[in-house]
Amino acid sequence: MATQSLPTKISWAKKAFERTTQFMHSGQVVGEIKRDGIFGHDVTARLYNTHVRFDVMGFVVHSVNIHDLTNNDKVVGRIELNFGKRATLTLKNGEVYVWKRANFLMKEWHLIHDIPNTDNDPEVIDYERTRRLFFAEEGKINILKPSPNEALLVLTGLFIRNYFLRRRRIAAGATS
């Protein structure tokens, strides 16, 4: 993975009816996350020098392999998506992160570093949706603890939130 120290605050925005969310810093686009195709599950994402593909697998319960597109499509991590809006990211180096939403509406969510043999797991990234107008959304990302994998972590946290929101919309449409 490309390692670059990121600014501690990044904003994100998704326009109505688009499959792309853009990341901005100081008014400049610094990355994006985009779902492949209308019915596709896979997502490509980039933030500064980090460029990955989230390869969604499974039928009912999904897991996701994260591929580094700048390093021969090498798998660098895996996300386990669980019922109850929980997810766990395990990186190839053994680090584990837990994705946790702060409220039912998913206006806030966090990525927490799950450190073995301790109950003092630090929150490393805080996400917030600050504005929603029709189907457009905007938000802020605060990087609380620097990490060599922080770009990958930022991308993963927003990917997981978007995944759960999409599943919720699909389920709501199926029950209508």
Side-chain angles (χ1 to χ4, degrees):
M1 290 277 16
T3 58
Q4 173 180 352
S5 184
L6 301 182
T8 57
K9 296 183 185 301
I10 299 171
S11 60
W12 59 271
K14 180 184 176 297
K15 295 178 183 173
F17 305 110
E18 291 197 7
R19 292 187 313 267
T20 301
T21 300
Q22 291 186 323
F23 296 97
M24 284 87 53
H25 180 257
S26 299
Q28 299 292 317
V29 175
V30 294
E32 68 180 14
I33 186 166
K34 182 177 184 178
R35 187 168 41 91
D36 298 337
I38 294 172
F39 299 107
H41 291 287
D42 290 354
V43 170
T44 56
R46 69 174 176 80
L47 184 59
Y48 291 99
N49 296 327
T50 299
H51 192 192
V52 297
R53 177 172 53 92
F54 295 96
D55 181 18
V56 180
M57 301 171 295
F59 182 68
V60 175
V61 177
H62 291 154
S63 62
V64 181
N65 280 338
I66 306 171
H67 297 260
D68 183 350
L69 297 177
T70 60
N71 188 10
N72 297 321
D73 210 28
K74 178 181 172 186
V75 175
V76 293
R78 182 176 180 88
I79 304 168
E80 293 297 328
L81 300 157
N82 304 304
F83 291 110
K85 307 286 189 270
R86 290 188 43 226
T88 304
L89 165 65
T90 304
L91 299 178
K92 282 295 181 183
N93 67 7
E95 290 181 7
V96 176
Y97 294 85
V98 176
W99 182 92
K100 182 179 177 184
R101 67 179 182 175
N103 56 43
F104 177 74
L105 298 173
M106 283 196 244
K107 289 177 67 175
E108 271 188 72
W109 61 102
H110 315 282
L111 203 58
I112 300 163
H113 189 183
D114 186 9
I115 300 173
N117 304 318
T118 181
D119 292 331
N120 192 14
D121 296 333
E123 183 178 324
V124 292
I125 302 177
D126 176 56
Y127 302 81
E128 180 182 8
R129 186 189 78 211
T130 56
R131 184 170 182 237
R132 182 176 187 166
L133 183 61
F134 196 41
F135 290 105
E137 297 181 302
E138 295 177 3
K140 295 179 182 174
I141 300 168
N142 294 309
I143 299 171
L144 306 173
K145 283 188 105 21
S147 162
N149 297 307
E150 61 195 8
L152 174 63
L153 298 175
V154 166
L155 294 169
T156 300
L158 196 61
F159 165 82
I160 293 169
R161 183 250 186 192
N162 291 349
Y163 171 87
F164 282 133
L165 283 178
R166 185 167 184 248
R167 293 284 298 222
R168 181 190 292 174
R169 287 184 201 116
I170 291 169
T175 60
S176 301

